[in-house]
Amino acid sequence: MKNIKCDCGHVNPEGTVLCESCGKPIAGNQHIDGNDQKKLLNMRYDGTARRSQTYNKTIIDKIWSFFSSVKVGVWLIVIALIASAVGTIFPQQQYIPADAISRDPAVYYPETYGIFGRVYYQLGFHNLFSSWWYLILIALIGVSLVICSLDRFVPLYRALKRQKAKRHYSFLSRQRLFSETVEVTATEKEEVIKKLKAQRYKITEENGHVLAEKGRFSRWGPYVNHIGLIIILLAALLRTTPVFYTNEYVWVSEGEQTVIPGTKSEYYIENEAFILDIYDENDERFKDAIQKQGVVPSNFQTNAIVYKAKEGALVGSDSELVKVAEDEIRMNHPLEVDGYKLYQSGYQLNEVNQMTFTIHEKDNLEGEDLGEFSIDLNDPKSEYELENGFTVSLADYFPDYYLDNTGEPKTETQYPRNPTFIFNLFPPNMEEYETSFVGDIKGAAEAIGIDTESVELSPMSKVIGKFATSLDPTGENDYQIVIKDIDFQRVSGISIRKDHSLPFFGVGALIFMIGVIQGMYWQHRRIWIQPTENGVLLAAHTNKNWFAIKKDIEKAIENTNVKMVNDQQELDE
Amino acid sequence: MGSLLSLSSTMLYSAFILYLVATFFFGFTIREKHSSSNKRSIAANIGIIVTIVGFVAQVVYFITRWVASGHAPVSNLFEFMTFFGMTIVLAFIIIYFIYRVSVLGLFALPTALIIIAYASMFPTEIAPLVPSLKSHWLYIHVTTVSLGQGILAISFVTGVIYLIKKIDQSVPSKRTTWLEVVLYSLILFVGFVIVTTIFNLMDYQATFEYTERNKAVETEYHLPAIAAPNGGQLVSENVMEPLFEAPAWMHGADAGRKFNTLLWSFISGTILYGLLRLFLRKRIGAALQPILNNSKLDLLDEITYRSVAIGFPVFTLGGLIFAAIWAQEAWGRFWGWDPKEVWALITWFFYAAFLHLRLSRGWHGEKSAWLAVGGFAIIMFNLIAVNLILAGLHSYA
């Protein structure tokens, strides 16, 4: 460290542009802040020694200089901005609509958006916001925030703490606001100081040299808001760990009680009832809108009870459950229990609980059935033996059936939302079997114009069963399997969150807002009054709002001989 | 109930007319010679009083509609954009009393007028609140965002005034072209309003049938169809046959109809712009420049900065912080990379860059003015395009 001793006796760190104490420009360092080219001094960081401007030898110096540049910071912001915009051109993978051709991104993007979609997918923009390069970009912004702040804050804090009231002439005369008055009386000087005090300036006096200062804390605003942002970024990092964040989802049907995932089998939820309310189409206020938009839901709600397993109890033994919470879970009204929050996140009005089938002779469908069997969709068996000797085996089962675009039967999910079967039917004492394809009740309901997402099929289960598909692929069957009845159940989708990172985000956001306000709505104003033989030098600096500091000075020197400062600003243009 | 609602719409209509009248009074001020700045002009005084009366009328509209519907009228595009127009006027009134620049009224009020007129082209019936909107955060989030955007809109207005005054119109240049692009985009909105109003008065209607989510859906066009919905069949008779279909990748409810509307705005706006050029025989920027003889560039620049300095934190609070709190409450996640969220973040990034460039790299004056215009373009994109083109969770407004 080559320290520099100023004429005033103060020892400055290497790289200082203006003496921390008296402000005298230090010879040989003026190019750093560009003071050699201009009449006025660059006061942005008070001419302090910034690491980034001083050392440029090692690789660390170079990295430090790179990230401490505001220009680099702004570029990073601009790149993040453009990248984010690109990420919204097509939906992100998680927002591929449920009714899309395919939920497989490799199929969805090219099929829906053509060549652009293919490129979008291949470049990984469909998962942009969790892609490594986007995360690195955000991390780089974080690094830039830290280095920019440290590079400026530390020396600036030091300089403002060490500044003396007594300033060098060349410092004062090269301020933007400056005047020299040849003759000023002591009482006039007192008067000016008194008026500055009245305007809440803090006065420091040193052998007749006066510094009036106000709002220094606003200089810390940018660093405070950057701390807030860093806390937010760190919180985002914490949130990726399971200790701080869990996110689970459970489907629970009416009357069912099931373990809440992500709670180590400690908590259980019971769905007492699921309620879907819609707006009355005769409501005078909303009549017109409802006529236009169709059915509008007004409430999704699960009446839920949460139980906790007693400590030490065997996992899964219901007898040891204690009720810990009971609430109506609605949109915007989650249930809270022991740090967990349960949200109403989805519902199925028409999940199938049980289906009953009958076997008929194909040419006598209206006649008496030859046998009846029921499948419990929560626990389908591979074979059903009927009393009169028929055996039905499940050759294939699609719980949530749909035909994909190649005409292959597929299942969307593992939940019995549209159960469809390929049965092998063995007539009594026969080795040979007949194959039939039965189900797709959703398709049957939609064919007669029912919106299965919002209308309950339960009251018309028999009719829909009759309309449902029962295909004979060979055309040579003697028997037909017909749906006799369907038992629907309403299922509520509950998401479970535990998020201990939230307070950190909250604190970060609060600190950010405080910092922004602190830095933007206050200004750091300094006015120097220095004695000359019979008069004074008057100089002033503010980090912004020059209009206001001029007003302050005008007020202070009113009715005195002290000359108003000249604005020596040099315009670049 | 019905009478309350009709009072409400009358009040909105009155507010619109009053803003228009006030604009003319602010227009008169440009002829006055500002010999002494202390003496305020009578025209400007009348202008600001009429503006305030108009604002009060709009507040009455807001309150009566709130009472009639049972929820704050900020729940769909019409209501939100109308409210946005109101916050622009509010921000203008506040800024006016700080700086007393009457030319600001001449540009800020038309901006608000265009936005309110644009808003009323969307369905204006009172719609019931869907479950996800039923929260106090609706009022808190929406009003703060809108206020923030309203204040930021003032920086756009002063930015445009700055550019019109500053840019040398004697020779065509990149800058004159870009300024024309900005003015042309404003005219697009006017074109949209004119076309929609004409066909509304004619009660034009064409119905299309198309499939969405494997269901047959009908959509009603109120403008002649240039672009039909993707895979749509024209049902109505004696109406214009569509020229082509909207591309399949346009999503969201009624994408085809919205795309058609967009086309109409471009066509009518372009014609309107062409007529103006023909009539003025010079660039619109050049035609407007002489009326700004009295305005001071440094003051305009100061107002641009001031409105960003105030608007940025308000927007951050409403558009990111309150938005996140509500999303946490409703969906259990405070951030989900939904297009609306991402564009709020983009807006935030943009103004953060604006402030850094200005405060630490000295981008004052014209550079600042261009940035202010760009920021507003992002806000309008988030307000309109994200809803009409990139549908997401936030599809109400």
Side-chain angles (χ1 to χ4, degrees):
Chain A
M1 282 275 266
K2 286 178 283 172
N3 290 334
I4 309 158
K5 193 168 177 186
C6 176
D7 297 343
C8 71
H10 182 74
V11 179
N12 292 291
E14 183 182 357
T16 305
V17 182
L18 305 174
C19 172
E20 292 173 330
S21 172
C22 75
K24 184 185 174 193
I26 287 165
N29 280 348
Q30 293 313 299
H31 61 283
I32 296 174
D33 279 353
N35 293 337
D36 47 348
Q37 306 291 332
K38 298 221 166 137
K39 182 177 176 282
L40 295 187
L41 295 174
N42 180 347
M43 287 290 288
R44 178 146 290 139
Y45 305 108
D46 271 53
T48 52
R50 291 164 51 199
R51 189 191 194 288
S52 60
Q53 308 298 313
T54 311
Y55 305 103
N56 197 16
K57 287 205 185 78
T58 65
I59 184 93
I60 294 174
D61 295 342
K62 286 193 171 130
I63 292 174
W64 184 276
S65 307
F66 179 76
F67 282 109
S68 70
S69 152
V70 173
K71 207 174 179 177
V72 170
V74 170
W75 270 113
L76 289 172
I77 291 177
V78 170
I79 296 168
L81 185 159
I82 294 167
S84 308
V86 171
T88 64
I89 295 177
F90 300 136
Q92 292 287 297
Q93 187 178 358
Q94 53 174 326
Y95 290 121
I96 295 178
D99 58 335
I101 307 175
S102 167
R103 302 269 294 165
D104 178 3
V107 179
Y108 172 75
Y109 291 95
E111 286 287 317
T112 321
Y113 305 108
I115 179 75
F116 297 110
R118 185 180 300 278
V119 173
Y120 198 79
Y121 166 69
Q122 278 166 354
L123 292 180
F125 283 114
H126 65 296
N127 262 329
L128 174 78
F129 300 110
S130 51
S131 71
W132 58 268
W133 66 269
Y134 190 82
L135 296 180
I136 286 179
L137 193 57
I138 300 296
L140 288 180
I141 292 180
V143 171
S144 162
L145 279 174
V146 173
I147 294 183
C148 266
S149 306
L150 284 178
D151 190 59
R152 291 163 174 79
F153 171 74
V154 174
L156 187 62
Y157 181 81
R158 202 181 123 104
L160 290 181
K161 200 153 174 114
R162 293 184 185 182
Q163 62 174 340
K164 290 268 164 60
K166 188 177 172 187
R167 288 276 152 161
H168 194 266
Y169 179 79
S170 62
F171 175 84
L172 298 169
S173 62
R174 291 175 75 186
Q175 292 298 317
R176 182 172 151 182
L177 301 181
F178 177 70
S179 74
E180 191 167 357
T181 316
V182 183
E183 217 145 323
V184 178
T185 63
T187 34
E188 276 177 329
K189 222 177 118 184
E190 281 306 310
E191 183 69 10
V192 173
I193 293 167
K194 215 177 95 191
K195 280 188 189 147
L196 284 172
K197 260 188 193 155
Q199 295 184 66
R200 300 208 195 155
Y201 276 85
K202 227 181 100 195
I203 310 288
T204 323
E205 206 160 352
E206 187 191 355
N207 305 328
H209 299 77
V210 175
L211 163 64
E213 188 180 14
K214 155 164 151 177
R216 190 197 289 183
F217 79 103
S218 89
R219 286 298 272 275
W220 317 134
Y223 314 111
V224 171
N225 85 48
H226 287 175
I227 290 172
L229 293 175
I230 291 160
I231 292 174
I232 288 174
L233 290 175
L234 290 178
L237 211 60
L238 285 183
R239 197 165 177 269
T240 57
T241 65
V243 183
F244 279 90
Y245 181 66
T246 19
N247 171 18
E248 298 283 348
Y249 199 96
V250 66
W251 288 100
V252 47
S253 54
E254 271 183 324
E256 191 194 355
Q257 177 186 312
T258 184
V259 65
I260 302 178
T263 63
K264 301 184 189 100
S265 302
E266 244 189 295
Y267 292 89
Y268 291 74
I269 181 170
E270 183 181 338
N271 175 355
E272 283 197 308
F274 174 75
I275 298 162
L276 168 65
D277 294 323
I278 58 168
Y279 282 97
D280 180 5
E281 57 187 317
N282 297 317
D283 188 319
E284 208 193 318
R285 290 175 297 174
F286 306 135
K287 235 175 12 196
D288 296 343
I290 293 175
Q291 222 163 40
K292 234 182 219 181
Q293 305 172 20
V295 176
V296 181
S298 71
N299 184 27
F300 310 122
Q301 175 179 327
T302 306
N303 294 346
I305 303 175
V306 175
Y307 302 93
K308 190 179 181 186
K310 264 193 193 156
E311 252 172 87
L314 278 169
V315 173
S317 58
D318 292 358
S319 56
E320 300 288 333
L321 295 180
V322 186
K323 183 161 135 184
V324 284
E326 180 170 10
D327 202 353
E328 295 167 350
I329 307 178
R330 287 187 302 271
M331 279 304 284
N332 286 307
H333 180 84
L335 179 151
E336 285 186 62
V337 60
D338 301 346
Y340 293 98
K341 279 196 175 184
L342 277 59
Y343 295 86
Q344 181 68 54
S345 297
Y347 62 91
Q348 290 288 329
L349 291 179
N350 299 309
E351 199 167 291
V352 180
N353 189 24
Q354 182 172 297
M355 276 171 107
T356 308
F357 302 87
T358 48
I359 301 170
H360 294 264
E361 281 171 357
K362 205 179 168 190
D363 39 21
N364 185 19
L365 285 178
E366 297 306 314
E368 196 149 320
D369 63 78
L370 305 173
E372 182 178 313
F373 65 99
S374 293
I375 299 180
D376 176 0
L377 278 312
N378 302 315
D379 182 24
K381 306 264 184 295
S382 62
E383 208 170 76
Y384 294 84
E385 281 180 32
L386 277 68
E387 283 173 12
N388 56 0
F390 281 94
T391 305
V392 180
S393 78
L394 269 58
D396 215 340
Y397 166 44
F398 308 98
D400 191 0
Y401 163 82
Y402 74 102
L403 265 188
D404 75 358
N405 44 357
T406 62
E408 253 333 271
K410 289 267 171 67
T411 185
E412 181 90 42
T413 64
Q414 290 310 310
Y415 302 102
R417 290 173 187 164
N418 188 22
T420 300
F421 306 87
I422 296 177
F423 290 126
N424 287 342
L425 175 70
F426 296 83
N429 309 319
M430 295 270 277
E431 286 290 311
E432 309 236 319
Y433 58 85
E434 290 180 354
T435 300
S436 54
F437 179 90
V438 185
D440 193 15
I441 43 180
K442 210 162 148 187
E446 274 165 12
I448 52 175
I450 298 168
D451 178 4
T452 55
E453 299 281 316
S454 56
V455 178
E456 288 198 50
L457 301 178
S458 193
M460 42 192 147
S461 59
K462 287 211 164 72
V463 181
I464 287 164
K466 218 173 234 172
F467 274 101
T469 312
S470 177
L471 271 181
D472 167 10
T474 57
E476 292 168 0
N477 287 359
D478 293 329
Y479 303 98
Q480 185 163 350
I481 300 175
V482 175
I483 300 171
K484 185 187 171 197
D485 203 359
I486 311 161
D487 180 20
F488 291 100
Q489 62 189 6
R490 294 188 295 180
V491 187
S492 180
I494 304 286
S495 58
I496 300 101
R497 303 289 165 109
K498 184 192 72 178
D499 198 341
H500 295 312
S501 70
L502 290 179
F504 296 94
F505 283 102
V507 168
L510 184 70
I511 292 178
F512 171 79
M513 288 305 294
I514 291 172
V516 167
I517 290 166
Q518 171 183 349
M520 235 151 21
Y521 301 155
W522 276 271
Q523 300 91 31
H524 180 215
R525 297 175 190 167
R526 276 175 293 173
I527 299 169
W528 294 276
I529 306 168
Q530 312 279 303
T532 54
E533 217 165 313
N534 291 317
V536 290
L537 301 175
L538 185 62
H541 177 75
T542 176
N543 59 340
K544 49 182 154 323
N545 202 350
W546 293 85
F547 181 71
I549 196 173
K550 283 187 213 166
K551 278 215 152 159
D552 283 358
I553 297 171
E554 266 169 18
K555 238 191 224 170
I557 60 174
E558 218 180 355
N559 304 325
T560 67
N561 213 9
V562 180
K563 276 194 205 147
M564 182 56 195
V565 288
N566 297 315
D567 193 336
Q568 316 186 77
Q569 189 188 18
E570 303 154 298
L571 290 170
D572 293 334
E573 288 157 307
Chain B
M1 187 61 65
S3 63
L4 202 56
L5 206 54
S6 73
L7 169 69
S8 176
S9 19
T10 311
M11 278 303 172
L12 182 60
Y13 193 68
S14 320
F16 187 86
I17 301 290
L18 287 166
Y19 295 154
L20 197 63
V21 171
T23 308
F24 284 110
F25 278 103
F26 283 116
F28 295 144
T29 61
I30 57 172
R31 289 165 175 276
E32 295 168 354
K33 292 262 181 321
H34 282 260
S35 45
S36 62
S37 56
N38 292 343
K39 230 174 131 190
R40 274 171 221 129
S41 87
I42 297 168
N45 275 344
I46 298 175
I48 192 68
I49 288 167
V50 175
T51 308
I52 293 170
V53 174
F55 181 75
V56 170
Q58 203 176 350
V59 170
V60 174
Y61 141 81
F62 189 78
I63 293 169
T64 45
R65 192 174 168 96
W66 188 330
V67 173
S69 69
H71 60 257
V74 286
S75 67
N76 60 27
L77 256 185
F78 160 70
E79 291 176 341
F80 179 73
M81 291 204 52
T82 313
F83 186 69
F84 179 39
M86 187 163 123
T87 55
I88 293 179
V89 174
L90 175 65
F92 160 67
I93 294 172
I94 294 168
I95 300 275
Y96 180 84
F97 280 107
I98 300 176
Y99 292 99
R100 300 274 178 184
V101 180
S102 43
V103 71
L104 194 57
L106 188 57
F107 285 80
L109 290 176
T111 308
L113 280 170
I114 289 174
I115 286 171
I116 294 169
Y118 183 77
S120 10
M121 301 299 127
F122 291 94
T124 55
E125 310 92 353
I126 291 183
L129 277 190
V130 293
S132 58
L133 288 184
K134 284 185 165 176
S135 165
H136 290 300
W137 287 103
L138 173 67
Y139 321 138
I140 303 169
H141 158 67
V142 178
T143 50
T144 332
V145 172
S146 183
L147 187 65
Q149 292 178 338
I151 300 167
L152 291 171
I154 297 297
S155 76
F156 160 77
V157 171
T158 48
V160 170
I161 301 175
Y162 189 99
L163 294 174
I164 294 175
K165 185 171 168 75
K166 179 75 196 289
I167 289 173
D168 178 13
Q169 292 284 358
S170 58
V171 276
S173 65
K174 244 192 227 163
R175 294 146 79 218
T176 57
T177 312
W178 277 108
L179 181 59
E180 289 302 292
V181 170
V182 172
L183 297 170
Y184 166 74
S185 345
L186 288 175
I187 291 171
L188 289 186
F189 285 90
V190 180
F192 169 79
V193 171
I194 292 174
V195 165
T196 317
T197 312
I198 290 173
F199 285 103
N200 271 354
L201 289 176
M202 288 167 56
D203 213 7
Y204 186 90
Q205 220 167 2
T207 310
F208 281 90
E209 225 176 56
Y210 65 105
T211 44
E212 192 185 85
R213 300 181 186 214
N214 306 321
K215 267 172 260 160
V217 196
E218 275 194 355
T219 181
E220 266 179 22
Y221 277 47
H222 297 284
L223 294 174
I226 302 170
N230 189 262
Q233 279 296 320
L234 187 59
V235 184
S236 314
E237 285 169 3
N238 298 326
V239 293
M240 191 179 115
E241 286 286 330
L243 301 179
F244 54 88
E245 280 185 4
W249 51 263
M250 289 193 171
H251 277 284
D254 295 324
R257 193 186 70 209
K258 289 166 178 171
F259 178 58
N260 188 56
T261 310
L262 191 71
L263 286 178
W264 269 105
S265 320
F266 269 97
I267 294 169
S268 54
T270 308
I271 293 173
L272 192 60
Y273 178 79
L275 287 176
L276 276 172
R277 286 293 295 263
L278 220 58
F279 173 70
L280 295 169
R281 292 171 169 273
K282 51 179 137 182
R283 283 183 293 276
I284 297 184
L288 288 172
Q289 199 170 41
I291 67 171
L292 299 175
N293 282 339
N294 286 329
S295 31
K296 285 187 223 131
L297 283 177
D298 56 344
L299 190 57
L300 289 167
D301 185 50
E302 165 79 13
I303 301 173
T304 305
Y305 166 67
R306 224 13 115 74
S307 5
V308 174
I310 301 169
F312 177 73
V314 177
F315 177 80
T316 310
L317 197 64
L320 294 169
I321 299 177
F322 289 163
I325 296 174
W326 188 12
Q328 181 69 31
E329 202 61 24
W331 296 309
R333 96 281 181 291
F334 55 86
W335 190 262
W337 299 108
D338 180 77
K340 199 86 178 180
E341 290 172 342
V342 176
W343 278 93
L345 180 68
I346 290 172
T347 312
W348 186 82
F349 273 151
F350 187 90
Y351 282 103
F354 175 104
L355 289 169
H356 280 95
L357 287 170
R358 186 176 174 106
L359 296 176
S360 92
R361 299 204 60 84
W363 282 36
H364 289 252
E366 195 182 328
K367 282 177 177 171
S368 226
W370 283 115
L371 287 179
V373 171
F376 189 67
I378 292 177
I379 289 176
M380 291 309 282
F381 185 88
N382 198 8
L383 192 53
I384 298 167
V386 169
N387 277 80
L388 302 188
I389 303 169
L390 322 165
L393 289 175
H394 201 286
S395 53
Y396 4 89

